[in-house]
Amino acid sequence: SEKVTIGRNYYDYKGEEDEQKNSIIYHEDTYLQNTGIDYVQNEVFDVISILDGEVIEVENKELLGKSVTIRHNNEIISVYQSLSQTSVKKGDKIS
């Protein structure tokens, strides 16, 4: 959807100061550097894998919510977190 925007970028140590400030997460009295990109929209939206691959983990994490980890054919791993729902399970092949 064109309504999906970047809410928080990954922390780039070479980036501009304003971008770095928007890439810091505060949790339990600790500042952390965001290591991914947070996409946001006011409405629920579909999350699509960056490449074909196999689901290697589906979890519900305390801090990060529902998460899906995918291993791609070139051994790249992508992780999708803070999902409202998941429709895949470990071992699923996706494209």
Side-chain angles (χ1 to χ4, degrees), residues 32-69:
L32 306 166
Q33 298 169 344
N34 195 30
T35 59
I37 298 176
D38 300 345
Y39 293 99
V40 297
Q41 180 179 315
N42 290 335
E43 302 166 16
V44 174
F45 61 94
D46 290 335
V47 176
I48 302 169
S49 176
I50 58 168
L51 297 166
D52 296 350
E54 179 180 350
V55 176
I56 59 172
E57 189 171 73
V58 178
E59 296 181 288
N60 192 7
K61 299 179 178 185
E62 183 179 338
L63 177 60
L64 302 171
K66 293 180 178 148
S67 301
V68 175
T69 304

Side-chain angles (χ1 to χ4, degrees), residues 7-32:
R8 188 179 312 274
N9 261 319
Y10 71 94
Y11 185 88
D12 181 357
Y13 75 96
K14 293 181 179 180
E16 299 291 324
E17 183 177 353
D18 286 342
E19 291 175 4
Q20 289 176 336
K21 286 180 183 178
N22 188 42
S23 302
I24 297 294
I25 300 166
Y26 184 74
H27 177 71
E28 294 183 352
D29 299 325
T30 304
Y31 290 96
L32 306 166

